[in-house]
């Protein structure tokens, strides 16, 4: 603001700071949306599948990676265009592999040069207000070193991933306003056992890379995003259906951390089969109490509710009763 005023004064224009503010706040200055300016000035798509080619640059053994990446890429583009303002692009690719596999470089390469200013790989989930503002300020957020996100931040992470708009009060403002969300997420890690959510992991497209990503070849960004627009204009689905979410959850099993509760449960119990003799209907608290009697490792009773979610995740047969949810299990003889 000061520079605009000074430059005008150097040109011989007599003015004050308030004159510049009045001008900038008027409709004489057109609204500029960089992402829309990029998307709506693209050429026609030439028919070559560049989204598939981009996905195939990431070597992995997951046969579902390419179609899932395609769906995520379309969702990212659709939300930049504002096609769905009631939902967020809550799914994130999760690239797992050793160092020097060019994971972070690939993430940055997803944005064209004109939009590189709206990419970040630095987000601090402990600063909740700043993290929410990032949803409006950036187009793509890379959760680099995903395993560094602590278990206590998982609930907020889930909230951020599925938050469709940002409600905040700007500095020095008196009213709360609604800001549009632009950001999609992607993540990288060097370690396999990094998912800790006991309710499942359908929000991640987890893959373990079998080699380094090819980042040497240039990307034709105009044709890449022209393809995405062409597919969206022809109503290709950009959201994940239940079958795809089930597929992601199943594929992510290998990346989930095995908690101490899970290990001790399968040490002393197993799920009971239907109508099996010897099966008992026990509450999570009763199972924990029995484990504590037999194990030298003590589990806190404060973890009862978490333990119930763990049993539910493993599809242990259950039913509701007056004393809560009971699970059908068989004690293992030691």
């Amino acid at each position: 603001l000061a520079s605009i005023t000074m430059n005008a004064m150097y040109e011989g224009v007599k003015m004050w700071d308030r004159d510049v503010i009045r001008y900038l706040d008027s409709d004489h200055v057109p609204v500029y949306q960089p992402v829309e300016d990029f998307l709506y000035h693209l050429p026609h798509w030439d028919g070559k599948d560049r989204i598939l080619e981009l996905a195939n640059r990431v070597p992995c053994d997951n046969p579902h990676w390419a179609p899932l990446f395609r769906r995520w890429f379309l969702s990212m583009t659709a939300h930049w265009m504002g096609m769905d303002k009631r939902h967020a692009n809550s799914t994130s690719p999760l690239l797992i592999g050793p160092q020097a596999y060019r994971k972070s470089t690939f993430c940055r390469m997803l944005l064209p040069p004109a939009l590189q200013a709206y990419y970040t790989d630095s987000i601090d989930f402990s600063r909740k207000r700043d993290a929410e503002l990032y949803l409006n300020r950036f187009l793509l957020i890379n959760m680099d070193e995903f395993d560094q996100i602590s278990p206590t931040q998982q609930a907020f992470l889930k909230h951020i991933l599925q938050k469709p708009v940002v409600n905040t009060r700007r500095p020095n403002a008196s009213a709360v306003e609604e800001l549009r969300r632009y950001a999609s997420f992607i993540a990288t890690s060097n370690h396999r056992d990094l998912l800790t959510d006991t309710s499942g992991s359908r929000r991640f497209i987890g893959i373990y890379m079998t080699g380094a990503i090819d980042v040497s070849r240039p990307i034709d960004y105009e044709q890449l995003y022209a393809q995405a627009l062409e597919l969206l204009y022809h109503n290709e689905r950009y959201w994940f259906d239940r079958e795809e979410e089930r597929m992601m959850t199943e594929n992510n099993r290998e990346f989930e951390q095995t908690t101490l509760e899970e290990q001790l449960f399968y040490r002393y119990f197993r799920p009971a089969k239907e109508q099996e003799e010897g099966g008992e209907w026990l509450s999570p608290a009763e199972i924990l109490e029995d484990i504590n009697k037999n194990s030298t490792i003590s589990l806190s009773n404060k973890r009862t509710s978490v333990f119930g979610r763990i049993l539910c995740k493993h599809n242990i047969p259950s039913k509701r009763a007056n004393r809560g949810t009971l699970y059908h299990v068989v004690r293992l003889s030691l």
Side-chain angles (χ1 to χ4, degrees), residues 245-307:
E245 290 180 345
R246 184 202 63 77
M247 184 190 307
M248 288 186 287
T249 300
E250 186 64 29
N251 290 337
N252 288 336
R253 297 289 187 198
E254 63 173 302
F255 307 123
E256 294 178 355
Q257 288 186 4
T258 303
T259 64
L260 181 60
E261 288 87 351
E262 291 173 278
Q263 297 178 46
L264 289 176
F265 172 78
Y266 283 105
R267 173 70 178 84
Y268 297 103
F269 292 92
R270 65 169 175 82
K273 299 177 182 178
E274 188 176 356
Q275 306 299 330
E276 179 180 3
E277 293 185 8
E280 302 177 69
W281 291 97
L282 301 176
S283 68
E286 290 171 329
I287 296 174
L288 278 178
E289 182 182 9
D290 196 81
I291 290 175
N292 284 332
K293 287 180 181 178
N294 293 284
S295 174
T296 57
I297 303 174
S298 178
L299 296 178
S300 171
N301 289 331
K302 295 180 181 179
R303 300 279 294 173
T304 301
S305 60
V306 177
F307 189 57

Side-chain angles (χ1 to χ4, degrees), residues 210-235:
T210 57
I213 301 175
D214 178 8
V215 296
S216 60
R217 287 179 291 146
I219 297 175
D220 187 340
Y221 289 104
E222 290 192 343
Q223 283 298 320
L224 174 67
Y225 284 95
Q227 177 188 355
L229 292 188
E230 183 75 12
L231 297 176
L232 291 172
Y233 288 152
H234 284 81
N235 299 318

